[in-house]
Amino acid sequence: MSEKTIICRCEDLSVEEIRDWIDKGYRSFDEIKRISRIGMGACQGRTCRRHLVMELARASGKDPSEIDLATFRPPTKPINFGAIAGVDQDA
Amino acid sequence: MRKTADVVIIGGGSLGCSTAYNLARFGVDKIVVLEKGYICGGSTGRCAAGIRQQWGTEMNCLISRYSIKHFEVMNEELAYDGDVEFIQNGYMMVTYSDAEAAMLKNNLILHKKLGIPVQFLSIEDVKEIVPAINTERIVASTICMEDGQANPFKVTDAYFRAAERMGVEFNTYTEVTGFQVQGGRIEKVITNQGEISAPVVINATGPYAKFISQMLGHELPVEPERHQIVVTEPLEPFLKPMLVNFHHKTYCQQVVNGSMLIGFGDADEPKGINYNCSWQFLKNLSEKIIEQIPIMKNVNIIRQWAGHYGISPDGQPVLGPVPEVEGYFLALGCGKGFMLSPMIGELIAQCVTGRETTLPIDILSIDRFKKGELIVEPAVV
Ligand SMILES: Cc1cc2nc3c(=O)[nH]c(=O)nc-3n(C[C@H](O)[C@H](O)[C@H](O)COP(=O)(O)OP(=O)(O)OC[C@H]3O[C@@H](n4cnc5c(N)ncnc54)[C@H](O)[C@@H]3O)c2cc1C
């Protein structure tokens, strides 16, 4: 993985950008998520989550299993307002 | 962590960080911020980040008006190396009833008096500004194009970094658990990371404020109230202003990346801390938003979350000293703390350092509840 590799495709963030935030002192998953928007996009962190955990583990010398993840929130998959309200949606 | 400080601020949200910066600006030497989690991990990091002057009480209008002047120059004022993303796309207020229309008219008189540029909109105006809105039930609408939004993480980060550069000590993952009080005066703050002596303590814990007061034997009538919100997939820009609907108690805003932030205030929400999300909220919200903007039925929600307002009995901030405990000050925004944070930080710093305050904050002192001098804010959602 090069420094320029995109690790969050929804928010277009590279490894380098994430390492910059870690260097600036942001040390937890939630802190980096809030300041950089990593994992906040449409896929809600399906790909980037693992990569961010690895970066945080590397920077802190911890095992990846010791890194706290951001809270999982509903909906598990994107769902539209019409489906929830029970109205017809356009095709 | 320092063993002594001139001022301890509890809470690292928008208000704690702004207060820290302003105290440093006024030359206070040893300032320490204690945050039980991380910076911006509380309500500030969960809010909709709308910024409006269209309130119904003079103080709410004035504090937000002065705050907007700070937001307009915030990147420069705080020498921020990022962007706080302040955008003035306006707030559009909409009502379906004559009673609420009368409230908007009353507010407008106040806004005129204070020089806030608010305009009445005809139904045609509403349609022109946001063609996607269903205007069927709209009775009245106002807009203020100076209102807008900012990025709450960046605003708090900007205050935090400016304060840190000026020598403020920030201690994260440090929870206040008690105090040592002698003869009615605060002497020490006790945390899970040790103790710190300080003559002045500022409570900027937002929805947790009453728990800090409880540790001091002080009764604070500011209750935590859960507010839920959703964010959608990004859409092409179609909603410029923040849309506030007083009938549905909703707010709906398209943010910089095209996503929509939508929430509503639930009148039946029990008081207390609760970070869970409910299905009922999602269902009610979906019905409310589809009535207002029918095309929303096809839009995907990607996340729902919850945070809290700290609700005061009259919906206005609670600021300044607590007479019963010497050295104890409140910096509570009460449901609109983010948008008011630039000015509340300044006012509290002025008050603590014995300066004249830019605005008469006595009106918002805790005393008003005992004296029964409540001026209820009508324009909340
Ligand atoms: C869904 C939602 C939408 C909102 N929309 C808007 C909006 O559009 N515009 C607006 O202006 N406002 C809005 N608000 C309100 C706004 O979020 C709050 O008024 C504001 O963020 C309060 O800021 P604060 O700094 O006082 O509190 P917070 O950001 O909550 O910070 C308080 C901090 O204190 C810490 N703390 C608590 N107890 C302790 C302790 N014992 N020891 C140490 N630290 C402690 C917490 O961890 C927290 O980080 C909204 C709120 C919600 C939930």
Side-chain angles (χ1 to χ4, degrees):
Chain A
M1 197 154 59
S2 93
E3 291 265 297
K4 301 279 175 222
T5 306
I6 298 297
I7 63 171
C8 175
R9 287 188 291 233
C10 300
E11 299 294 336
D12 197 22
L13 291 161
S14 67
V15 178
E16 189 178 16
E17 284 166 278
I18 293 308
R19 288 185 184 159
D20 275 351
W21 289 116
I22 295 176
D23 288 344
K24 280 188 183 166
Y26 299 88
R27 284 297 153 88
S28 68
F29 197 110
D30 266 328
E31 283 169 82
I32 294 182
K33 176 184 136 193
R34 279 166 161 77
I35 198 73
S36 72
R37 298 194 49 85
I38 188 167
M40 281 195 185
C43 89
Q44 290 287 295
R46 264 170 230 284
T47 321
C48 61
R49 192 185 297 140
R50 281 181 295 137
H51 296 303
L52 179 54
V53 165
M54 295 311 287
E55 287 298 323
L56 285 166
R58 218 176 60 158
S60 61
K62 285 186 185 160
D63 191 82
S65 64
E66 293 173 275
I67 306 289
D68 282 334
L69 291 173
T71 315
F72 291 92
R73 291 281 196 182
T76 357
K77 263 191 184 167
I79 178 171
N80 65 41
F81 287 107
I84 293 170
V87 301
D88 288 338
Q89 299 122 60
D90 300 336
Chain B
M1 186 162 83
R2 283 180 183 278
K3 287 274 160 274
T4 62
D6 296 322
V7 179
V8 164
I9 298 166
I10 314 174
S14 53
L15 284 183
C17 293
S18 162
T19 303
Y21 160 77
N22 279 287
L23 282 168
R25 184 162 73 89
F26 292 146
V28 175
D29 191 22
K30 288 182 244 161
I31 305 163
V32 172
V33 178
L34 305 174
E35 165 54 54
K36 74 176 163 124
Y38 52 91
I39 301 299
C40 205
S43 308
T44 306
R46 296 161 192 278
C47 81
I51 297 168
R52 65 155 144 145
Q53 304 169 75
Q54 296 183 74
W55 292 103
T57 68
E58 187 156 336
M59 281 308 277
N60 280 343
C61 288
L62 285 173
I63 302 178
S64 65
R65 181 149 189 72
Y66 279 72
S67 290
I68 284 186
K69 301 286 169 224
H70 285 283
F71 281 113
E72 283 171 346
V73 294
M74 191 166 280
N75 290 330
E76 297 78 42
E77 183 186 342
L78 301 178
Y80 191 44
D81 68 354
D83 180 6
V84 299
E85 296 167 15
F86 179 54
I87 298 171
Q88 288 171 293
N89 274 345
Y91 252 69
M92 187 192 272
M93 318 301 249
V94 163
T95 74
Y96 290 174
S97 79
D98 291 336
E100 287 157 0
M103 172 193 77
L104 282 186
K105 287 210 174 92
N106 272 334
N107 292 354
L108 200 64
I109 297 170
L110 178 66
H111 301 149
K112 285 256 148 66
K113 180 182 133 194
L114 301 176
I116 300 173
V118 182
Q119 288 171 344
F120 241 91
L121 297 177
S122 67
I123 302 297
E124 292 71 39
D125 294 335
V126 172
K127 263 274 180 246
E128 198 181 313
I129 298 167
V130 190
I133 290 188
N134 170 13
T135 52
E136 231 167 74
R137 293 174 70 192
I138 296 181
V139 172
S141 172
T142 58
I143 197 163
C144 172
M145 288 311 297
E146 278 183 6
D147 294 350
Q149 54 175 288
N151 181 323
F153 311 110
K154 298 292 172 81
V155 167
T156 310
D157 193 54
Y159 275 118
F160 158 65
R161 292 193 172 272
E164 203 177 45
R165 278 197 308 273
M166 292 162 93
V168 174
E169 181 185 287
F170 284 83
N171 295 288
T172 52
Y173 303 100
T174 305
E175 180 169 5
V176 172
T177 54
F179 295 89
Q180 185 177 310
V181 181
Q182 197 74 50
R185 168 200 297 244
I186 295 187
E187 289 197 329
K188 260 186 195 165
V189 184
I190 302 163
T191 79
N192 61 353
Q193 306 290 331
E195 299 177 1
I196 176 164
S197 301
V200 173
V201 171
I202 301 171
N203 180 351
T205 59
Y208 292 88
K210 72 176 280 188
F211 307 120
I212 299 292
S213 267
Q214 271 165 11
M215 295 174 198
L216 287 160
H218 171 250
E219 183 93 30
L220 181 66
V222 175
E223 299 289 340
E225 183 182 278
R226 175 177 67 163
H227 279 251
Q228 300 182 66
I229 179 169
V230 300
V231 64
T232 71
E233 60 187 334
L235 307 172
E236 288 299 320
F238 79 96
L239 181 68
K240 254 191 138 182
M242 164 84 100
L243 178 65
V244 172
N245 183 311
F246 286 108
H247 172 79
H248 285 299
K249 303 276 179 225
T250 52
Y251 55 84
C252 175
Q253 158 130 308
Q254 190 164 25
V255 293
V256 181
N257 75 340
S259 291
M260 314 288 294
L261 282 179
I262 316 169
F264 72 92
D266 183 349
D268 298 324
E269 182 66 37
K271 302 288 182 271
I273 298 287
N274 176 4
Y275 286 100
N276 296 328
C277 295
S278 76
W279 168 256
Q280 198 54 46
F281 172 85
L282 208 51
K283 187 155 170 21
N284 291 347
L285 184 74
S286 302
E287 288 159 4
K288 285 167 183 281
I289 203 64
I290 291 170
E291 170 166 27
Q292 294 175 62
I293 308 177
I295 54 165
M296 291 297 289
K297 69 182 181 189
N298 297 314
V299 173
N300 280 321
I301 303 161
I302 59 173
R303 191 177 179 87
Q304 176 186 2
W305 70 92
H308 302 84
Y309 290 11
I311 297 279
S312 64
D314 59 9
Q316 297 201 84
V318 188
L319 308 178
V322 175
E324 292 88 347
V325 189
E326 208 182 318
Y328 180 42
F329 292 77
L330 302 170
L332 307 174
C334 298
K336 47 195 95 46
F338 172 70
M339 67 177 82
L340 304 182
S341 60
M343 264 325 271
I344 290 183
E346 179 172 311
L347 293 168
I348 294 294
Q350 288 168 331
C351 172
V352 164
T353 56
R355 284 175 166 73
E356 199 182 325
T357 52
T358 313
L359 294 167
I361 63 167
D362 306 352
I363 300 171
L364 297 179
S365 77
I366 179 92
D367 277 1
R368 72 182 189 269
F369 303 122
K370 248 191 289 173
K371 294 186 191 149
E373 289 167 359
L374 278 66
I375 311 163
V376 176
E377 170 57 66
V380 286
V381 291

